[in-house]
Amino acid sequence: MGKLSFFSVLSILSLSITLSTVTPPKQAAALPLSTSSRWIVDENGKRVKLACVNWVSHLEVVVAEGLSKQPMDEIAKKIVSMGFNCVRLTWPIFLVTNDTYASLTVRQSFQGFGLLESISGIQANNPSIIDLPLIKAYQAVVSSLGVHNVMVILDNHISKPGWCCSNFDGNGFFGDTYFNPDQWIKGLTQMATIFNGVPNVVGMSLRNELRGQKQNVNDWYRYMEKGAEAVHSANPDILVILSGLNYDKDLSFLLNRPVNLTFSGKIVVEVHWYAFSDGQAWKNGNSNQVCGRVVSNMMRVSGFLLVQGWPLFVSEFGVDQRGTNVNDNRYLGCFLGVAAELDLDWALWTLAGSYYLREGVIGSNEFYGVLNWNWCDIRNSSFLQQISALQSPFQGILLQK
C-alpha cells in the first residue's frame, strides 16, 4: 500500500459502524502463533487478529490492578464478554531480578504502602493469592485468563515499578538509572523461561516506550537484537514484539536497516497512537485535515512496515471513556477508520477502572478504562460498540497494491 486516502478511511469507518452490531463468536486459536508476511497466524496458518486490552500490573505494588474489587475469574469473563481475545499484561523487570520483590508476598507489598483496604478487598475477592509471592500472583492471573481462552502478551513496561512514562524517570533507555541492559536481558530471559509451556502466553513485548535523552538507533539495534535472541532462546514458541523510539511512535530507522536475527517467523513490531501524541491538534484543527496529516506521518514512521511484510501491532491506543474530551473524540474516528482499512492488530489502553496506588494517589479513577471504578460495570457501552467490528478480521480488506 502506497497511500491511504482520507476518503477510503471514511468509507471503512462507515463500514465498521455498520458492522458493529454483528460480532461473530470467536474460536480459540490453534497455538502457538507465528507470522506470515504482515499477518499473525496460528499453527494451521489461519489469520489470528489480536484484539487486546491492556491490564496494568507494573505499578508500585506489582499486582494486577482490580483484584481488590473483583475475583480474577470474573474479570477474565468480563474481558471475553467485551469481545477481547487477548490481554497485554504489563510487568516490571524488578519483579524477577530484584531480591526484595522476589521474596515479597502480595500482602506484604500492600502493607508496605499502607493499603489496608486493598488487602481486605483481595482477601474477599481473591483470597488464594494474598500470601503468594508477587510472581506467583502474576502467574495466577495468566492462568485465569488461560482458562477462558484469553491469549496473553507479557509486556515489559518498565524496570522499577511505578507509573510510566516520562523522559526523566530513569526507566527510559538503555543505560538509564534503572535500565541496566544486562539486568533487562536477565529479566526477559527469566520471564520467557517461567512461561515456557504456558500455551496462552503467545508473545512478549521487549520494552514499552523507549524514550529520553540517551535514546539512539545504534543502541536500539545492539540491545533489542540481544533481547529478542534471549527471549527466543528461552521460549521459541512465543512472538517477540519490538518497540520503537520516542515513546514507541518512531520506527522509521527500520526502513533501510532491518533487524538481524538468527530466527524468523516470530517477529512483530509495535507502535503507540493516541490523540495527545499530536497535542491538541484534533481539537484546534479541521478533523479531516488533521487525520490526513497524522495518517501520512504514521505511514512514514511506522506504517511502511506493513508494506515490507512485518506485522504491525498498535499495542496502545485509547480515549477518555467519559466522551467529553473533544481531542480524543475526533481522533477516535480517524483511528477506527485506519485500523479497519489496514486491518491492524491492536491493544486498547486500558482495562483498569481504578488503581490501588498511582503517583501517590490511593484508589485513583482511570477515565481511559473500559471498566468503571469498581471494576464491575462497563464505563461506556457505546465505545465498545464502536470498536466491536475491529475485533474480528475483515475479509477482503487488505493492503492496496
Side-chain angles (χ1 to χ4, degrees), residues 15-78:
L15 174 63
S16 72
I17 293 172
T18 301
L19 293 177
S20 64
T21 57
V22 188
T23 302
K26 296 177 176 61
Q27 296 179 334
L31 305 174
L33 303 181
S34 58
T35 65
S36 177
S37 184
R38 63 144 294 190
W39 306 110
I40 295 170
V41 298
D42 67 13
E43 64 176 358
N44 298 322
K46 181 181 178 181
R47 165 90 193 278
V48 175
K49 182 174 183 175
L50 299 180
C52 313
V53 65
N54 282 273
W55 190 349
V56 170
S57 188
H58 67 273
L59 299 190
E60 284 85 351
V61 294
V62 201
V63 175
E65 301 292 332
L67 299 184
S68 65
K69 300 283 196 281
Q70 299 293 329
M72 66 176 71
D73 185 66
E74 292 301 314
I75 296 174
K77 289 179 182 177
K78 182 72 75 173

Side-chain angles (χ1 to χ4, degrees), residues 58-59 62 91-98 101 156-162 164 169-174 176-181 183-184 206-208 211:
H58 67 273
L59 299 190
V62 201
W91 63 280
I93 284 289
F94 284 13
L95 173 62
V96 290
T97 63
N98 183 285
Y101 288 99
N156 174 224
H157 212 72
I158 203 164
S159 293
K160 181 183 179 183
C164 179
D169 58 13
N171 286 277
F173 199 72
F174 306 107
D176 277 355
T177 304
Y178 306 112
F179 199 168
N180 178 285
Q183 184 184 63
W184 171 70
L206 299 190
R207 188 70 174 197
N208 177 70
R211 60 197 180 275

Side-chain angles (χ1 to χ4, degrees), residues 50 52 86-91 138 151-156 200-205 239 241 313 347:
L50 299 180
C52 313
C86 85
V87 162
R88 180 178 181 248
L89 187 63
T90 67
W91 63 280
Y138 189 95
M151 297 178 287
V152 174
I153 292 169
L154 308 177
D155 168 61
N156 174 224
N200 69 309
V201 174
V202 299
M204 280 187 67
S205 292
L239 300 172
I241 305 173
F313 174 40

Side-chain angles (χ1 to χ4, degrees), residues 44 104 114 238 271 277 382:
N44 298 322
L104 210 58
I238 60 177
V271 67
S277 301
S382 64

